[in-house]
Amino acid sequence: MKKWEEVKDILVSPIDIETYFTSDEIMDQKMEVMEIGNVSLPSGKVIVRDPLVYLSGNEKPYFIEVPKGDFPVSIAVVKTEDWGDRYAAVKVEFTKEKPVIYREALIGIENLEGIHEGDFFGFAVDAGLGCITDPEVVSYVDKFISDLTIDNIYDDYFAELFAKSYKENPKNQRDLGDWINWNVPGTDYHIPMFASGFGDGLYPVYFSYDAQGKIGGLHIHFIDIELELSEDDEGDDDLD
């Protein structure tokens, strides 16, 4: 069976995701960056999941560990006529060093046989949201939710928080709210939650590395802007 060292330079991002955060435009589409506060990573282990469906104490973190602490999170927004304002990528910044390669984040039990360039495992979204957190924080989330006497965690709890986020920060959000930075009740821990690109699906997560081979950030890639626009153009040609 193949090991991570054998495929680490195959399971890489085909594009420089950092350009989503540094470019004013990509493929003539305006880009904008939102800072949404810090994520709490007290153990240095990272979990990226759909917070309404797949976030629980049973979920395994990525086997690569990161610095411990609170780190800034930003969202790269692509602003289009056809799609509206969409969250194309999310970044956690551990250092200011420039990324030179993005290797996929894995939990360590994936079957790596037959992997080819362009393949990815990703994380599944079934409720239109993603989040970044730490297994140490998830234990507090589990306890908080188990103590609630409600039927639907989104409708009866989170919906109000997302609506408040829109009211306080309406830019780049729909009126129901597209992101929050949730302070887990009874703790100092924060979990950023955000709309997932085009909604439900499978999305890749990468750790970025600098020229010295040190980990500098975590990037979630929701929308491959160039690929999506190229496919749209091909579809338009077919109609002519």
Side-chain angles (χ1 to χ4, degrees):
M1 182 175 291
K2 285 189 176 181
K3 297 181 179 179
W4 166 241
E5 289 296 323
E6 298 177 69
V7 301
K8 68 178 185 179
D9 289 331
I10 298 176
L11 288 172
V12 299
S13 171
I15 68 167
D16 183 358
I17 308 172
E18 186 65 16
T19 60
Y20 284 29
F21 296 87
T22 58
S23 303
D24 293 330
E25 289 187 355
I26 296 177
M27 297 283 286
D28 296 324
Q29 310 300 304
K30 290 185 178 180
M31 302 295 298
E32 190 169 304
V33 177
M34 296 193 305
E35 308 292 339
I36 64 167
N38 290 344
V39 60
S40 302
L41 302 173
S43 75
K45 298 176 181 178
V46 185
I47 291 175
V48 176
R49 295 289 188 278
D50 181 323
L52 302 183
V53 182
Y54 298 114
L55 186 62
S56 75
N58 297 322
E59 294 295 312
K60 292 182 178 295
Y62 300 124
F63 75 84
I64 297 291
E65 296 191 11
V66 303
K68 300 176 183 178
D70 293 338
F71 300 96
V73 179
S74 53
I75 298 175
V77 184
V78 58
K79 306 173 78 67
T80 74
E81 289 185 9
D82 292 340
W83 311 333
D85 296 344
R86 295 280 180 165
Y87 297 172
V90 176
K91 175 176 70 170
V92 181
E93 186 177 79
F94 303 126
T95 75
K96 295 290 185 182
E97 297 299 318
K98 178 179 173 59
V100 298
I101 193 168
Y102 306 83
R103 297 192 175 102
E104 186 171 2
L106 302 178
I107 63 176
I109 63 172
E110 294 86 354
N111 182 358
L112 302 178
E113 295 296 328
I115 292 299
H116 302 286
E117 285 189 22
D119 291 345
F120 66 85
F121 291 94
F123 77 104
V125 173
D126 285 332
L129 293 171
C131 79
I132 306 166
T133 188
D134 181 301
E136 193 170 305
V137 178
V138 174
S139 63
Y140 292 96
V141 175
D142 282 349
K143 183 179 187 307
F144 172 74
I145 292 176
S146 68
D147 289 342
L148 291 177
T149 54
I150 57 177
D151 295 325
N152 183 296
I153 186 62
Y154 183 81
D155 291 343
D156 298 334
Y157 179 75
F158 281 115
E160 182 178 349
L161 299 180
F162 276 92
K164 181 180 178 184
S165 174
Y166 168 75
K167 185 176 180 180
E168 295 177 349
N169 303 282
K171 196 170 186 181
N172 300 319
Q173 294 199 71
R174 292 165 293 184
D175 56 6
L176 294 179
D178 284 320
W179 69 267
I180 61 173
N181 195 331
W182 184 42
N183 178 195
V184 182
T187 78
D188 293 326
Y189 297 138
H190 285 83
I191 301 178
M193 301 181 184
F194 32 79
S196 52
F198 286 134
D200 296 348
L202 199 66
Y203 297 101
V205 182
Y206 301 96
F207 289 119
S208 61
Y209 296 82
D210 63 24
Q212 286 70 47
K214 294 182 179 180
I215 192 165
L218 176 142
H219 291 70
I220 303 172
H221 192 192
F222 283 133
I223 300 174
D224 186 329
I225 298 172
E226 293 189 9
L227 177 63
E228 293 292 340
L229 288 174
S230 297
E231 290 178 347
D232 281 355
D233 289 343
E234 290 174 3
D236 291 343
D237 290 343
D238 292 341
L239 297 175
D240 291 339

